[in-house]
Amino acid sequence: VTLNLYPFIEIDIEHCSYAPTLNGNRTVPMEQVLDVVRDVRGRFNTDRCNFLLDWCHYQIDQYFNYKPPTIKQVEEMYLPYTKRIHLSWANGDGIGRNHGNVIPNFQTYCELRDLFREQRIVAEVMEDDHLQPKNLSHMIEMEESYKYLIMREKMVVNRISNNK
């Protein structure tokens, strides 16, 4: 009923890393978070409950040898329920300064954006100074460059189509 009262509100449920926490416990694995999203969608007959994929958490799972879904499984099983992606990079265990880093290079950024072309990107990066956000500025530059490449690609395809 509440969802009907607020038609512009969506609920995103983010998965945490399945890595051991400070007290030695683990959080809920990605698969179970997706099950919750599917259950909420089914019970309330809505598509306004979404799985929020956090790329940094996905990488941390790999570091701790928890086998997250493959990229193909992410595409097939998770992206249909995903509208937003937290896009950042993890180094090693993802603890402290190893969490929420900028994507290491433009090629990797493009590969991830190609995979997540239909989702909104949330640049979730750590900053030393939030008044002068260097990491966020770098992510914005990569996104603008990526969009430029996509535009150029479409122009080339259109020229080829028009010359046939």
Side-chain angles (χ1 to χ4, degrees):
V1 173
T2 305
L3 284 173
N4 294 334
L5 293 174
Y6 305 103
F8 300 107
I9 291 179
E10 292 188 0
I11 301 165
D12 286 350
I13 304 176
E14 178 178 353
H15 71 99
C16 294
S17 168
Y18 195 55
T21 60
L22 294 176
N23 64 8
N25 296 328
R26 291 184 180 269
T27 59
V28 178
M30 286 177 68
E31 295 85 358
Q32 291 178 17
V33 174
L34 181 61
D35 288 342
V36 169
V37 169
R38 287 179 177 149
D39 185 54
V40 169
R41 282 183 169 205
R43 283 180 195 231
F44 297 100
N45 191 29
T46 183
D47 65 350
R48 292 172 29 220
C49 181
N50 309 298
F51 181 84
L52 195 150
L53 177 63
D54 187 303
W55 190 252
C56 198
H57 296 169
Y58 181 85
Q59 291 178 295
I60 293 167
D61 284 348
Q62 292 174 325
Y63 175 84
F64 282 100
N65 292 321
Y66 167 67
K67 303 294 183 219
T70 65
I71 295 299
K72 185 170 178 57
Q73 289 171 321
V74 167
E75 282 183 279
E76 293 172 356
M77 295 169 46
Y78 292 80
L79 292 188
Y81 298 92
T82 304
K83 292 186 181 177
R84 283 162 282 282
I85 307 281
H86 283 178
L87 193 56
S88 63
W89 199 259
N91 296 317
D93 60 13
I95 295 173
R97 302 292 297 171
N98 289 328
H99 189 97
N101 295 295
V102 173
I103 307 299
N105 58 61
F106 186 61
Q107 179 180 343
T108 301
Y109 186 85
C110 288
E111 290 168 2
L112 290 170
R113 284 299 281 122
D114 284 346
L115 177 63
F116 305 134
R117 200 175 270 196
E118 300 300 317
Q119 286 75 29
R120 287 190 176 156
I121 299 301
V122 178
E124 190 180 55
V125 292
M126 189 181 302
E127 295 287 353
D128 291 325
D129 181 353
H130 288 280
L131 296 177
Q132 297 177 356
K134 294 177 185 172
N135 292 333
L136 179 60
S137 296
H138 185 62
M139 290 284 283
I140 291 170
E141 288 172 13
M142 285 196 287
E143 178 67 13
E144 288 173 352
S145 296
Y146 175 80
K147 286 180 178 177
Y148 177 76
L149 284 177
I150 296 301
M151 180 193 69
R152 296 283 300 165
E153 179 182 288
K154 287 179 182 176
M155 289 172 61
V156 168
V157 168
N158 286 339
R159 279 193 194 136
I160 291 170
S161 298
N162 291 338
N163 290 334
K164 288 184 178 180

